[in-house]
Amino acid sequence: MTDKNSATGSASEALQLDVAALRADTPGCRQVIHFNNAGSGLLAAPVLDAMVGQLNLEARIGGYEASAARAAEVREFYTEIAALINTTSDNIAFAGSATHAYSNALSSIPFEADDVILTTRDDFVSNQIAFLSLRKRFGVRIIHAPDAPEGGVDVEAMAALMRTHRPRLVSATHVPTNSGLVSPVAEIGRHCRESDLLYLVDACQSVGQFVIDVEEIGCDFLTATCRKFLRGPRGSGFLYVSDRVLRAGYEPLFIDMHGARWTEPGGYEPVRTAARFEEWELPYAAVLGSAAATRYAREVGIEAIEQRTPMLAARLRERLAPIPGVRLLDRGRRLAALVTFGVEGWQPEPFKAALDDRSINSALSFREFAQLDFGDKGIEWCLRLSPHYYNTEEEVDHVADAVADLVRQGRR
């Protein structure tokens, strides 16, 4: 990961990637400049082939029969994800989204009135809403650790809150959706282990962008989607569940016939693996596409991706910073490939539409997505640009020039 204040140099100086070949593998590169990888990355051809192949097989021989015929390939989803984050396939559950995985994890925790959930001011919006729902239903307390002066959570202050409140759950988002901040999840995890606290990490924006090691992080649960920087299909994600959580008997509130065995008329027994957090019905084309996307990322090299992707974002920030009317918003010791900024003279939807007209994909983020962070920054909306390793330096410069041109128009 790249220090915010370090020299960016050229992304081509990172571990060498054959960017031309990667772009040839990515049909969307011929249509758009895709700077919305934090929303959904462009599919690589092997991912598309895996999904279409499964759908064709289902059409020819039937859905149940196709999943049985591809059972070995389906199992590769679990082994590929496990290799990606340094765990075993028994610790991985497929999920329809990161939010689905997160909700399943939360549902396994027997919250009671006055239990404390300790989190940060930069947690993902859906996670915060889930905490508020738990407060409404069970009377839990939500405590937000303060930020450090440079941005991002003050880890020592958070550790002090752990010791004072003994929270039922500690939660952190590795990279929030509304900012380039990279939270120090491994540092937080170290304090959680020292205090023997349950720790849940949202890695939705970091899986596929950074090296992720659940042993180093020290989390009990980790959730992620496959559609973003991993470049998998929409409608796919996963949940990591630690051995200690499985041994302790945690299970989702609504467990089904895939996650448990109905052992007697009045009882059931959960399976021993993270499969207890899955449902019986799976979207097999998405599972196979996610396996292919993970394999593709690992073959490209996560270490190389971790170097190139943030370097492209750093170049973009350097190009945007001098533009009059542009306010860069990303803060923190380390920054990811999510570049957020406000602009003068435009309303959000017309500004994004103007970029769309130039075949530049982007995303908007609003106050309701980040009440605490955007409140601190005093903004109502921002534009988010998120390049990835298959983007080029020339695209970065072209996008920065387009932003400058549009902001000039708006100021006039």
Side-chain angles (χ1 to χ4, degrees):
M1 290 175 282
T2 305
D3 248 320
K4 178 174 69 171
N5 298 316
S6 67
T8 58
S10 168
S12 62
E13 296 171 4
L15 294 172
Q16 291 300 306
L17 295 177
D18 188 344
V19 177
L22 295 168
R23 291 175 67 80
D25 260 353
T26 307
C29 287
R30 296 188 284 274
Q31 306 294 321
V32 294
I33 297 176
H34 189 68
F35 274 31
N36 191 20
N37 291 282
S40 185
L42 292 179
L43 296 182
V47 179
L48 185 61
D49 291 345
M51 298 178 69
V52 172
Q54 176 65 16
L55 291 174
N56 282 333
L57 187 62
E58 290 179 7
R60 291 200 307 272
I61 68 172
Y64 282 29
E65 293 74 14
S67 63
R70 294 278 172 81
E73 291 92 335
V74 169
R75 287 193 295 272
E76 289 179 10
F77 167 80
Y78 302 93
T79 57
E80 288 290 341
I81 294 290
L84 182 72
I85 65 171
N86 188 30
T87 187
T88 73
S89 56
D90 283 351
N91 298 95
I92 300 298
F94 179 87
S97 68
T99 299
H100 178 208
Y102 201 93
S103 298
N104 263 2
L106 282 181
S107 79
S108 73
I109 303 169
F111 288 107
E112 298 179 356
D114 292 324
D115 280 349
V116 168
I117 297 174
L118 176 60
T119 184
T120 73
R121 298 177 63 81
D122 301 291
D123 208 359
F124 178 53
V125 51
S126 293
N127 305 345
Q128 293 288 315
I129 291 172
F131 299 157
L132 292 170
S133 177
L134 288 168
R135 185 174 72 181
K136 181 189 295 187
R137 179 163 297 192
F138 297 113
V140 304
R141 292 189 294 145
I142 307 166
I143 296 177
H144 294 90
D147 279 348
E150 68 273 16
V153 67
D154 184 328
V155 176
E156 293 307 315
M158 193 174 195
L161 290 169
M162 292 180 198
R163 294 188 292 270
T164 300
H165 294 283
R166 296 293 306 170
R168 187 70 181 83
L169 175 69
V170 177
S171 171
T173 295
H174 196 186
V175 177
T177 188
N178 54 280
S179 168
L181 171 74
V182 180
S183 295
V185 290
E187 295 178 42
I188 297 169
R190 185 176 68 254
H191 290 290
C192 287
R193 291 193 298 273
E194 290 172 355
S195 298
D196 194 26
L197 297 174
L198 199 65
Y199 184 30
L200 167 58
V201 172
D202 180 335
C204 202
Q205 296 287 6
S206 55
V207 165
Q209 180 179 179
F210 295 137
V211 174
I212 302 295
D213 185 334
V214 292
E215 292 300 320
E216 179 186 359
I217 293 171
C219 53
D220 294 289
F221 297 104
L222 183 137
T223 62
T225 185
C226 296
R227 77 173 189 271
K228 296 181 184 287
F229 289 94
L230 198 55
R231 303 179 62 194
R234 299 196 68 176
S236 62
F238 67 87
L239 170 65
Y240 158 79
V241 187
S242 70
D243 287 333
R244 80 163 188 159
V245 162
L246 292 172
R247 288 194 299 267
Y250 285 79
E251 62 187 58
L253 180 60
F254 298 109
I255 194 168
D256 81 350
M257 60 185 284
H258 180 74
R261 301 291 175 264
W262 195 14
T263 53
E264 56 183 327
Y268 68 89
E269 181 179 332
V271 300
R272 65 175 185 83
T273 69
R276 71 179 69 161
F277 287 86
E278 291 183 337
E279 288 83 37
W280 183 84
E281 178 60 21
L282 292 175
Y284 285 95
V287 172
L288 293 173
S290 298
T294 308
R295 187 180 307 112
Y296 191 89
R298 294 181 61 232
E299 289 173 353
V300 171
I302 296 298
E303 293 82 2
I305 294 170
E306 184 179 78
Q307 286 194 29
R308 179 172 174 81
T309 297
M311 289 175 82
L312 289 170
R315 181 186 182 106
L316 180 58
R317 288 190 188 92
E318 287 189 352
R319 289 295 311 274
L320 293 174
I323 300 173
V326 167
R327 177 191 169 196
L328 292 174
L329 299 168
D330 303 314
R331 300 177 65 235
R333 286 182 295 167
R334 295 188 174 191
L335 298 180
L338 287 75
V339 180
T340 61
F341 58 96
V343 295
E344 292 180 8
W346 284 87
Q347 291 300 308
E349 288 82 3
F351 189 78
K352 182 183 183 305
L355 286 174
D356 291 344
D357 288 343
R358 298 178 182 223
S359 298
I360 298 170
N361 289 352
S362 64
L364 293 168
S365 193
F366 296 96
R367 178 72 167 261
E368 68 180 86
F369 300 167
Q371 289 284 357
L372 301 177
D373 182 46
F374 278 21
D376 293 342
K377 293 171 179 173
I379 59 169
E380 295 300 319
W381 69 277
C382 73
L383 192 89
R384 185 187 71 195
L385 297 172
S386 47
H388 206 2
Y389 62 88
Y390 57 81
N391 292 120
T392 67
E393 290 87 346
E394 292 76 18
E395 286 181 322
V396 168
D397 296 343
H398 178 79
V399 170
D401 290 342
V403 170
D405 184 46
L406 291 173
V407 174
R408 280 193 296 270
Q409 292 180 32
R411 287 168 67 86
R412 286 200 299 268

